[in-house]
Amino acid sequence: FFFFLMLRRPPRSTHCISSAASDVYKRQVTEKTNRDVQELRIQLKLQREGLVQKDEVSTESILFSFVWDSPYSEQNDLAKHKSANAQNAAEPFPETSQSAQEVKLDTVDIRKYSYLKPKYRALIDDLLPESEGANLKYSPAFPVWLHVVIRAILDSKFTEVLLSFNKGKRITRFVDFVYCWLGNFSVDKNTREVRLLEYTEREAIARKNRLDLLVGLEAVSNAKLWEVSTFRDFLEEEFGLDELVYFLHCRFILFKGPQLSIGTAGFCVTHFMGKDKVFDAVDRIMHAYSEDERKELKSKLTAFAKNSYKDPNVFDCGMVLRVLLEFYRKEKKENFVRFEELYTIARRGLKVARPVFP
């Protein structure tokens, strides 16, 4: 009887039996985080009802909740942001004796309100050599393996986002998703289609692919590729979850479905697309914006294409998606600064100059 009690299966999210203790620790951290956020929301509700003093809730706590709310909530919806800004533009800003202050968005760091979490390299630490100076060998299954795998992972991640949204479930961290995807799937060398790994080959191929992904992303030859650079930033969690969802949404509209459903996407390093198709996708994505704003964005894309490839009619899809992502991040930072200023006014009764963005 006691023998069977000792044979406890590790939690589902663990990658191996030895990581059971780590899984319990991570679950405790997650539960504490959920409790902290819930307590913050309760405290804010009590503050609105006048049951607690305003000084009991800090600006940092409010901004932390703002950044880590659901990616589908109102404050993280780009179109609703724009509509709200258009309505608020006509409303007078609180009077101030100061002149308008210019805010440089490059100095706004939203990441300081995010949690510190294990990186991808930490998850595959057992695959790395003990000596730091050792060279890691990059041996992909075929020449464009890294680029095709990146596209396959992003296609699969968007499917997971849609399923999670429809079923009301939380979206998994991108790092965890990539690790698990490489442990269950691979890209066929000949057809370039995603296939499920057989049980007998799963461990060996998964270990190799996980290491090849890390080495390929860190290779100097791939550092300047838009698609690889953006994927690496998401894997390092330089961007938030809402930014990942927006990026995947833009990909789906640009490619009119999964990227690998386009035949050439599985056989090229850089995926190019014609000007008309790109501009049509931009109009669909930026439909809530004015014609002048869309023209400005299109002119930037044309300038990038002309400077990089000497042809203003052919666009690098990785570049197009990155520009759209940066546009979203700029919009998010502007709303973040406005929120911070308005909260400071409401909390302290101060007269703060209206922020102006160059």
Side-chain angles (χ1 to χ4, degrees), residues 88 109 118 124 135 220 234 243 252 273 318 329 348:
N88 294 335
D109 184 14
I124 62 170
N135 293 326
V220 178
F234 279 123
E243 292 162 339
F252 189 82
M273 185 172 289
R329 298 184 71 232
R348 300 180 182 178

Side-chain angles (χ1 to χ4, degrees), residues 67-82:
V67 173
W68 282 97
D69 212 332
S70 167
Y72 285 100
S73 60
E74 287 191 12
Q75 68 266 35
N76 285 331
D77 189 296
L78 191 63
K80 292 181 180 178
H81 265 324
K82 196 64 183 178

Side-chain angles (χ1 to χ4, degrees), residues 75 77-91 289 293 330-336 338-339 342 354 357:
Q75 68 266 35
D77 189 296
L78 191 63
K80 292 181 180 178
H81 265 324
K82 196 64 183 178
S83 301
N85 291 339
Q87 296 175 0
N88 294 335
E91 298 179 2
Y289 288 77
E293 288 173 314
K330 176 177 178 292
E331 182 81 8
K332 179 180 177 180
K333 285 185 177 181
E334 290 179 358
N335 284 282
F336 185 84
R338 293 190 184 99
F339 180 87
L342 290 173
R354 180 172 187 170
F357 305 103

Side-chain angles (χ1 to χ4, degrees), residues 138-153:
Y138 179 54
S139 55
F142 48 90
V144 294
W145 176 87
L146 176 66
H147 312 280
V148 179
V149 165
I150 286 176
R151 293 158 191 167
I153 291 175

Side-chain angles (χ1 to χ4, degrees), residues 8 97 103 125 138 181 184-185 204 220 274 332:
R8 184 182 71 86
S97 57
V103 178
D125 184 65
Y138 179 54
W181 192 95
N184 294 275
F185 301 96
V220 178
K332 179 180 177 180

Side-chain angles (χ1 to χ4, degrees), residues 193-289:
E193 296 180 353
V194 177
R195 70 178 183 88
L196 182 66
L197 293 176
E198 298 291 340
Y199 180 78
T200 55
E201 62 179 353
R202 184 167 298 177
E203 182 176 358
I205 294 182
R207 293 172 65 88
K208 180 181 183 302
N209 288 347
R210 285 165 179 162
L211 185 59
D212 282 342
L213 179 70
L214 177 66
V215 179
L217 291 175
E218 295 181 350
V220 178
S221 58
N222 295 323
K224 296 183 178 180
L225 297 177
W226 289 96
E227 189 175 37
V228 176
S229 175
T230 303
F231 184 88
R232 184 173 58 246
D233 288 340
F234 279 123
L235 193 63
E236 292 295 322
E237 296 192 318
E238 296 292 327
F239 303 140
L241 182 60
D242 61 304
E243 292 162 339
L244 173 61
V245 172
Y246 176 77
F247 177 80
L248 296 174
H249 173 70
C250 292
R251 286 183 79 255
F252 189 82
I253 292 180
L254 180 63
F255 302 122
K256 297 182 178 179
Q259 185 176 4
L260 287 184
S261 64
I262 302 175
T264 56
F267 298 88
C268 60
V269 173
T270 303
H271 189 177
F272 292 99
M273 185 172 289
K275 178 179 179 179
D276 294 338
K277 292 183 178 179
V278 170
F279 282 3
D280 178 65
V282 169
D283 289 334
R284 294 178 61 189
I285 295 170
M286 312 294 291
H287 65 88
Y289 288 77

